[in-house]
């Protein structure tokens, strides 16, 4: 059996990767403090409960990324011939399932609270001899949960694109949008303060729909990725440019009459096959080896390519 070659990020991305690990450890520490602060201040507010659970879920992508980062570049073995690259895909799936499940739970729980017309109350606490409405404490906790998260999310977004990490991209997008959750929860808390009890449950439902939407989208993306969908860009908007770049690089070679490309994604990198019709049966083996060495230099994400010489090409695949 033949294993795939070992993998390391290019030297220019090593620093980016190390910075990402550092940011994820900061994220874990920060989110743990948020979870504690939110738990101590949430009272019986449904919106605060939803925001707290979302922050708790926010630990999953960061922890998954850190765990996967310890295994993804391990050398391939006889048992795992293609290496451990898909550990990121598995981490992405686990995080998506958790996000979807919690979003569904929050929506049902918040809807029940609204239907049952539960009237949450917010009391007061004494700090340094002064009576303070707990709503202000809740709002302060929500601001603390959102502002640093937005900053961390913005810092991670460009890194996720450079490293082609979809779980990191999901983590960054979720954190960048945390201000919406905080605003919705603050509206719910203020609504309770004005006696509008239903605003709390309505804010919780809004938050749950946001969580559920992210869960559905991420679950879809993670499953299609594991099903070897044609590689897409980090935001899932279009086909990865490397597919066309690889095709163009091969078709322009003097010995190639025609070619078909088939790529699949495994974590940060791509594996694939190139089916080539040669112009003539001369120096085939040398041409194959030179072509493979050439195309693997196109992009660091193209990790392994098998080149097969054929008499005729398979039919083009359907769009669906």
């Amino acid at each position: 059996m033949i294993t795939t070659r070992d993998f390391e990020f290019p030297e220019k991305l090593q620093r980016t990767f190390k910075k990402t690990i550092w940011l994820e450890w900061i994220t874990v520490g920060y989110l743990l403090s948020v979870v504690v602060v939110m738990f101590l201040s949430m009272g019986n507010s449904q919106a605060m409960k939803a925001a707290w659970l979302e922050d708790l879920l926010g630990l999953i992508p960061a922890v998954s990324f850190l765990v996967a980062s310890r295994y993804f570049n391990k050398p391939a073995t006889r048992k795992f011939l293609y290496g451990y690259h898909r550990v990121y895909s598995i981490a992405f799936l686990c995080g998506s399932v958790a996000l979807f499940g919690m979003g569904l739970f929050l929506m049902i729980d918040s809807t029940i609270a609204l239907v049952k017309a539960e009237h949450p109350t917010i009391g007061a606490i004494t700090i340094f001899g002064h009576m303070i409405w707990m709503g202000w404490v809740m709002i302060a906790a929500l601001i603390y949960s959102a502002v640093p998260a937005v900053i961390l999310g913005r810092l991670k977004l460009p890194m996720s694109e450079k490293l082609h990490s979809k779980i990191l991209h999901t983590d960054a997008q979720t954190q960048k949008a945390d201000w919406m959750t905080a605003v919705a929860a603050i509206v719910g808390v203020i609504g309770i303060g004005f006696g509008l009890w239903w605003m709390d449950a309505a804010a919780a439902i809004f938050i749950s729909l946001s969580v559920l939407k992210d869960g559905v989208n991420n679950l879809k993306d993670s499953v299609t990725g594991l099903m070897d969908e044609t590689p897409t860009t980090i935001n899932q908007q279009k086909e990865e440019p490397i597919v066309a770049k690889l095709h163009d690089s091969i078709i322009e070679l003097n010995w190639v009459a025609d070619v078909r490309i088939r790529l699949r994604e495994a974590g940060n990198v791509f594996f694939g096959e190139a089916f080539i019709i040669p112009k003539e049966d001369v120096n085939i083996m040398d041409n194959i080896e030179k072509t493979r060495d050439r195309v693997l230099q196109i992009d660091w994400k193209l990790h392994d390519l098998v080149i097969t010489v054929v008499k005729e090409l398979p039919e083009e695949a359907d769009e669906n």
Side-chain angles (χ1 to χ4, degrees):
M1 294 186 182
I2 301 176
T3 62
T4 187
R5 59 183 179 144
D6 293 346
F7 172 78
E8 287 289 347
F9 282 115
E11 188 175 345
K12 63 181 180 180
L13 291 179
Q14 289 285 347
R15 187 176 178 182
T16 300
F17 180 64
K18 290 177 181 177
K19 188 182 290 186
T20 301
I21 297 294
W22 179 68
L23 276 177
E24 288 294 37
W25 276 114
I26 291 176
T27 299
V28 170
Y30 157 69
L31 284 177
L32 285 173
S33 70
V34 168
V35 167
V36 172
V37 169
M38 293 284 284
F39 179 78
L40 294 176
S41 62
M42 68 179 177
N44 60 358
S45 167
Q46 197 71 23
M48 285 291 290
K49 176 183 174 182
W52 173 72
L53 285 171
E54 186 182 38
D55 288 327
L56 189 61
L57 280 173
L59 285 164
I60 295 175
V63 172
S64 298
F65 180 85
L66 289 171
V67 172
S69 295
R70 296 181 62 86
Y71 295 95
F72 81 104
N73 60 350
K74 286 181 62 178
T77 65
R78 184 178 177 84
K79 190 172 183 180
F80 295 97
L81 298 173
Y82 292 94
Y84 294 79
H85 304 282
R86 282 194 187 272
V87 69
Y88 274 126
S89 303
I90 295 169
F92 187 27
L93 176 63
C94 292
S96 302
V97 170
L99 203 61
F100 173 77
M102 189 54 69
L104 193 61
F105 166 76
L106 283 174
M107 186 177 67
I108 294 172
D109 189 48
S110 303
T111 302
I112 290 174
L114 183 62
V115 171
K116 291 173 66 176
E118 295 179 357
H119 289 57
T121 56
I122 299 178
I125 57 172
T126 302
I127 299 180
F128 301 119
H130 298 280
M131 291 291 290
I132 298 177
W133 180 53
M134 269 297 293
W136 297 123
V137 178
M138 293 178 178
I139 291 172
L142 286 165
I143 293 173
Y144 172 65
S145 75
V147 175
V150 172
I151 296 171
L152 286 169
R154 289 189 177 277
L155 289 174
K156 292 177 192 176
L157 267 180
M159 294 181 183
S160 69
E161 294 172 0
K162 289 180 181 178
L163 300 175
H164 192 73
S165 175
K166 290 184 177 177
I167 186 170
L168 181 62
H169 186 265
T170 298
D171 183 25
Q173 287 280 43
T174 301
Q175 288 193 309
K176 197 182 79 166
D178 264 2
W179 67 270
M180 290 189 292
T181 297
V183 169
I186 288 172
V187 169
V189 170
I190 292 175
I192 296 173
F194 281 99
L196 303 174
W197 62 268
W198 55 269
M199 285 184 65
D200 181 58
I205 291 174
F206 173 82
I207 295 170
S208 68
L209 287 173
S210 174
V211 175
L212 190 59
K213 176 178 174 291
D214 289 340
V216 170
N217 290 338
N218 293 342
L219 191 57
K220 171 181 170 292
D221 294 340
S222 61
V223 170
T224 54
L226 287 170
M227 290 175 64
D228 291 333
E229 178 189 32
T230 298
T232 58
T233 54
I234 199 72
N235 57 9
Q236 305 285 327
Q237 296 298 315
K238 58 183 180 179
E239 184 177 276
E240 171 62 44
I242 196 174
V243 178
K245 193 184 298 184
L246 177 59
H247 177 275
D248 294 343
S249 179
I250 294 177
I251 198 66
E252 68 184 16
L253 297 174
N254 293 332
W255 71 280
V256 176
D258 204 357
V259 62
R260 291 278 193 279
I261 303 298
R262 184 167 65 197
L263 291 182
R264 64 188 182 278
E265 196 168 350
N268 304 83
V269 298
F270 305 130
F271 290 79
E273 299 86 30
F275 300 91
I276 296 176
I277 294 180
K279 290 180 179 178
E280 55 184 19
D281 296 334
V282 179
N283 297 326
I284 291 295
M285 295 306 297
D286 287 342
N287 286 332
I288 288 176
E289 289 185 11
K290 290 177 181 178
T291 300
R292 185 173 185 275
D293 290 341
R294 167 182 165 145
V295 298
L296 288 179
Q297 303 303 314
I298 291 175
D299 195 301
W300 67 267
K301 295 190 290 292
L302 185 58
H303 185 58
D304 201 2
L305 185 74
V306 176
I307 297 178
T308 303
V309 173
V310 296
K311 291 183 177 180
E312 60 180 35
L313 295 174
E315 295 182 4
E316 287 279 8
D318 296 333
E319 287 296 322
N320 296 325

